[in-house]
Amino acid sequence: MHHVLWQSVLGEIELSVSHATFTTWFKNTELLDQNDTGIVIAVPNIFAKKQFEVKFNNQIKTVLAKNGVTPKRITYTVTSTSKKTRVNRETTPLTEAQQTAESLITAPVANTYTKNAPLVAAGGLNPRYTFDNFIVGSSNDLAYTASQAVAAHPGIKYNPLYLYGGVGLGKTHLMQAIGNEITKTQPGTRILYISSETFVNEFLEHIRFKKKGFSEKYRNVDVLIVDDMQFIAGKEKTQEEFFHTFNHLHQNNKQIIICSDKPPKSIPTLTERLRSRFEMGMTIDIQMPDFETRCAILTAKAELSGVSLGQDTVEYMATNIKTNIRELEGSLNQLLAYAEMRGIKPDISTAEGLLGNIRHSRPQHITSKQIIERTSKHFQLRVDEICSPKRDKHIVVPRQIAMYLLRSELHLSFPKIAGELGRKDHTTAIHSVEKIEKAIKLDFLIREQVASIREKLYA
């Protein structure tokens, strides 16, 4: 009974909020209990709990009332990740890749690692990076799910796991979280985390000084994690050595995890045989966090520092900082440090004062006209062409991207978006936004085009 009621509530909420908002906050929730004193709703973490109590409580009350339920009190409680993922599949279907990844997490697969092998001292891992403190949003949900699958059963399915995306988006956090999770659940597993620069330097020392033990170091591990793989490009001998290391580990069912700022096919001077091997496993893009995810990150980081930020302060910072998580964290640290030194509460006025340079360097208000003009210019089209009824492919795709940006950047309603692009039927806007949302996850070219236009809008 609880399950049916909550599915009805979620279904109605999904129609009234953005896809990113639903995925970030509502997707992993569950109605645990309903009695005379009230109802209990399970949420995935403490940050979601606060968000529901402050921002979404009235909305949930309204939707419950429409379904004939008027509780005296709504209580939010934090539950484990394993419990929440079973519920959300019926409200927002996962992609085939996500379903495969999640199925691996619970699959009863035998471990192929040598339990008695000595554990490399911390393996170069930073214990601060865990799955528990990684904020999941629509920009990184697939990468997060696949990473959990790899941590549960390394060397079995997604091998290699290749993560790519811009700086400061959480690639290193996820890779190290995999290593830390394996260390915790499978003691004795030999894990080595390095940067490609370390591999290059040690290989050069191996050649120059004839040092022994280089190959053994990298081939006698169960999990090899390599950061910033793009720096190996152009180094032919190093690529050849890594190729042999890769083959040895892969043939022995050892897990390989790689990250880069580009997909394999976009790394210049990367040998074809390495490129094909990098693409043989799971290649996943981590994108820039959306508004809701940025809000969740700021709230989480502030909570870890023992500070509770007001919702207006969080939303101000999330609105003005759109580049990457590192800049977001840096600005938050600046705000918290200033407030602590002055003995004041960090509020929106303090944030405005400290982050004023951001408002001067970026436009305070992006308009519909600017988005349409920038998109047209990017694709070398005239504005009247992109707003015309023409159905040529070279016009349709830019028009769909413009609609997506109007939705993601300005949060316009679908009827408003349709009107801005000269369309009468708002279902065209719904279809266009959904199509680009899917394409961004699967098509690197579309992803690059959207990122380029967005970057120019805020340049």
Side-chain angles (χ1 to χ4, degrees):
M1 183 65 182
H2 299 337
H3 178 72
V4 175
L5 171 61
W6 193 240
Q7 293 308 307
S8 178
V9 170
L10 289 179
E12 193 161 339
I13 289 176
E14 187 172 13
L15 297 175
S16 63
V17 300
S18 69
H19 174 72
T21 299
F22 184 84
T23 302
T24 304
W25 302 111
F26 292 93
K27 181 179 174 184
N28 296 320
T29 60
E30 181 182 4
L31 179 56
L32 288 184
D33 190 25
Q34 179 184 358
N35 52 49
D36 295 337
T37 60
I39 68 172
V40 180
I41 297 173
V43 296
N45 53 55
I46 186 65
F47 318 116
K49 181 176 183 289
K50 182 174 180 181
Q51 190 79 352
F52 274 90
E53 291 171 344
V54 174
K55 187 174 181 180
F56 299 123
N57 193 60
N58 290 336
Q59 183 177 9
I60 289 177
K61 280 184 179 179
T62 301
V63 178
L64 282 170
K66 289 182 181 179
N67 285 269
V69 179
T70 53
K72 295 180 180 178
R73 181 182 179 185
I74 300 178
T75 303
Y76 301 95
T77 182
V78 178
T79 58
S80 64
T81 303
S82 60
K83 191 169 186 176
K84 67 186 182 185
T85 51
R86 288 197 293 270
V87 178
N88 61 32
R89 289 177 182 162
E90 295 187 22
T91 57
T92 305
L94 296 176
T95 63
E96 183 178 349
Q98 286 174 303
Q99 291 172 345
T100 305
E102 287 208 357
S103 67
L104 278 176
I105 296 176
T106 55
V109 185
N111 183 19
T112 60
Y113 294 99
T114 306
K115 293 296 183 183
N116 296 325
L119 178 65
V120 177
L125 299 171
N126 187 331
R128 292 190 298 110
Y129 294 120
T130 67
F131 287 128
D132 290 338
N133 59 25
F134 185 84
I135 304 299
V136 184
S138 59
S139 60
N140 56 29
D141 53 354
L142 180 56
Y144 177 80
T145 305
S147 296
Q148 284 189 310
V150 169
H153 305 293
I156 303 301
K157 181 72 173 181
Y158 298 146
N159 195 17
L161 175 65
Y162 188 106
L163 305 176
Y164 68 96
V167 297
L169 299 184
K171 302 186 299 295
T172 298
H173 188 143
L174 268 183
M175 291 199 307
Q176 295 220 20
I178 295 173
N180 286 320
E181 184 67 17
I182 295 173
T183 299
K184 182 174 72 174
T185 59
Q186 302 182 36
T189 303
R190 297 166 296 179
I191 301 172
L192 179 59
Y193 168 86
I194 59 159
S195 66
S196 64
E197 182 182 14
T198 300
F199 186 89
V200 170
N201 291 338
E202 291 188 2
F203 178 64
L204 292 177
E205 287 187 2
H206 163 69
I207 294 176
R208 183 179 178 184
F209 301 109
K210 296 182 172 56
K211 287 187 175 181
K212 296 181 179 180
F214 175 81
S215 297
E216 289 77 7
K217 173 182 177 179
Y218 290 100
R219 299 182 191 183
N220 290 334
V221 296
D222 298 314
V223 181
L224 177 62
I225 306 173
V226 186
D227 208 342
D228 293 325
M229 180 54 73
Q230 69 270 13
F231 294 121
I232 204 173
K235 302 173 177 62
E236 295 182 7
K237 291 295 183 182
T238 306
Q239 288 190 52
E240 182 178 351
E241 177 62 29
F242 190 81
F243 169 78
H244 294 304
T245 299
F246 183 103
N247 277 351
H248 176 85
L249 293 173
H250 196 271
Q251 289 171 6
N252 286 280
N253 296 321
K254 309 302 183 182
Q255 181 67 48
I256 304 161
I257 306 166
I258 299 167
C259 90
S260 173
D261 62 355
K262 300 180 180 69
K265 63 182 178 182
S266 298
I267 299 179
T269 65
L270 183 68
T271 61
E272 187 59 37
R273 59 182 183 177
L274 265 185
R275 181 178 291 111
S276 65
R277 278 160 177 77
F278 290 167
E279 293 175 340
M280 68 191 292
M282 174 69 98
T283 303
I284 306 175
D285 180 21
I286 299 180
Q287 303 161 43
M288 289 176 58
D290 53 36
F291 173 76
E292 287 80 8
T293 306
R294 296 196 298 273
C295 286
I297 291 169
L298 286 167
T299 304
K301 298 297 181 182
E303 291 281 355
L304 288 175
S305 299
V307 177
S308 178
L309 288 180
Q311 190 64 26
D312 56 347
T313 307
V314 170
E315 291 184 356
Y316 169 80
M317 297 182 70
T319 299
N320 286 280
I321 304 172
K322 301 185 178 183
T323 51
N324 61 61
I325 297 170
R326 287 180 190 152
E327 184 180 353
L328 203 62
E329 289 186 17
S331 299
L332 175 64
N333 291 336
Q334 184 181 2
L335 173 63
L336 298 182
Y338 180 88
E340 184 178 1
M341 286 189 296
R342 297 292 190 276
I344 60 177
K345 179 179 175 60
D347 54 19
I348 187 169
S349 60
T350 308
E352 286 176 342
L354 288 173
L355 306 181
N357 61 315
I358 296 175
R359 304 187 70 179
H360 292 303
S361 63
R362 298 176 187 159
Q364 296 181 27
H365 299 288
I366 298 295
T367 65
S368 302
K369 182 179 178 181
Q370 287 175 311
I371 288 178
I372 295 170
E373 287 179 346
R374 175 55 64 185
T375 305
S376 301
K377 186 176 181 180
H378 180 85
F379 289 100
Q380 299 181 337
L381 295 170
R382 299 191 311 273
V383 172
D384 63 307
E385 286 182 302
I386 206 171
C387 295
S388 72
K390 292 181 180 179
R391 300 294 300 166
D392 304 68
K393 186 175 181 180
H394 74 284
I395 296 176
V396 170
V397 174
R399 184 185 298 136
Q400 290 174 335
I401 289 176
M403 289 183 174
Y404 168 80
L405 288 170
L406 288 171
R407 181 69 172 174
S408 64
E409 302 306 303
L410 301 183
H411 307 289
L412 297 184
S413 66
F414 288 115
K416 179 68 174 173
I417 292 172
E420 293 288 347
L421 273 299
R423 310 259 80 76
K424 294 181 179 179
D425 187 359
H426 73 279
T427 59
T428 302
I430 296 174
H431 169 75
S432 298
V433 171
E434 290 179 347
K435 184 173 181 180
I436 298 302
E437 283 179 344
K438 292 177 182 177
I440 283 176
K441 290 184 176 293
L442 303 172
D443 190 326
F444 177 70
L445 178 59
I446 293 290
R447 195 158 48 241
E448 288 286 283
Q449 289 169 337
V450 170
S452 177
I453 295 170
R454 185 181 277 131
E455 183 178 338
K456 290 172 183 175
L457 281 170
Y458 294 103

